[in-house]
Amino acid sequence: EVQLQASGGGLVQAGGSLRLSCAASGFTFDDYAIGWFRQAPGKEREGVSCISSSDGSKYYADSVKGRFTISSDNAKNTVYLQMNNLKPEDTAVYYCAAQFYLGTVVACTVDYGMDYWGIGTQVTVSS
């Protein structure tokens, strides 16, 4: 029943933009933190950005600060990741995940442990 459906990936040239969506169902959305993670070829999976559905707090990895923006629409159980000024190093499979969490988001790491993972969407940035 639990589903996290990521969409919006694609091919874009450096400097372009993409907007990813993560539609959640099967759990109480407001009780979870939602995060975006990515994994590039030959690299470990890393946290990109996370948001708390409880208080709206956000966290961004240093590599994407000022370029990416995470937001949520609780009525639609959907989290978005607006990605601007994309760089070739942003190329990766992007995954959304959810963790039961009622507090303030102060970090975003795969080592934290997520309860649910969705299927990734490919983002390719050409130079």
Side-chain angles (χ1 to χ4, degrees):
E1 290 186 0
V2 173
Q3 290 191 108
L4 290 168
Q5 296 181 281
S7 61
L11 174 64
V12 64
Q13 292 189 352
S17 299
L18 286 172
R19 189 193 193 199
L20 305 184
S21 298
C22 177
S25 62
F27 60 93
T28 305
F29 186 82
D30 293 348
D31 293 339
Y32 285 74
I34 308 295
W36 286 98
F37 299 81
R38 67 185 182 186
Q39 188 164 21
K43 303 274 189 175
E44 295 183 355
R45 189 172 298 186
E46 64 175 345
V48 177
S49 182
C50 290
I51 185 170
S52 170
S53 298
S54 298
D55 65 6
S57 57
K58 304 171 183 178
Y59 180 89
Y60 297 96
D62 289 342
S63 59
V64 306
K65 285 181 180 177
R67 299 189 297 119
F68 291 10
T69 302
I70 192 169
S71 62
S72 65
D73 186 338
N74 287 21
K76 296 181 178 180
N77 289 356
T78 300
V79 170
Y80 306 95
L81 185 68
Q82 179 66 45
M83 305 185 295
N84 297 326
N85 191 25
L86 284 161
K87 305 176 183 296
E89 51 262 43
D90 294 318
T91 295
V93 177
Y94 284 70
Y95 303 86
C96 63
Q99 182 185 49
F100 180 80
Y101 185 66
L102 300 177
T104 299
V105 170
V106 296
C108 190
T109 173
V110 67
D111 293 332
Y112 244 47
M114 308 300 285
D115 297 312
Y116 309 117
W117 288 88
I119 302 299
T121 184
Q122 177 71 49
V123 172
T124 302
V125 184
S126 64
S127 59

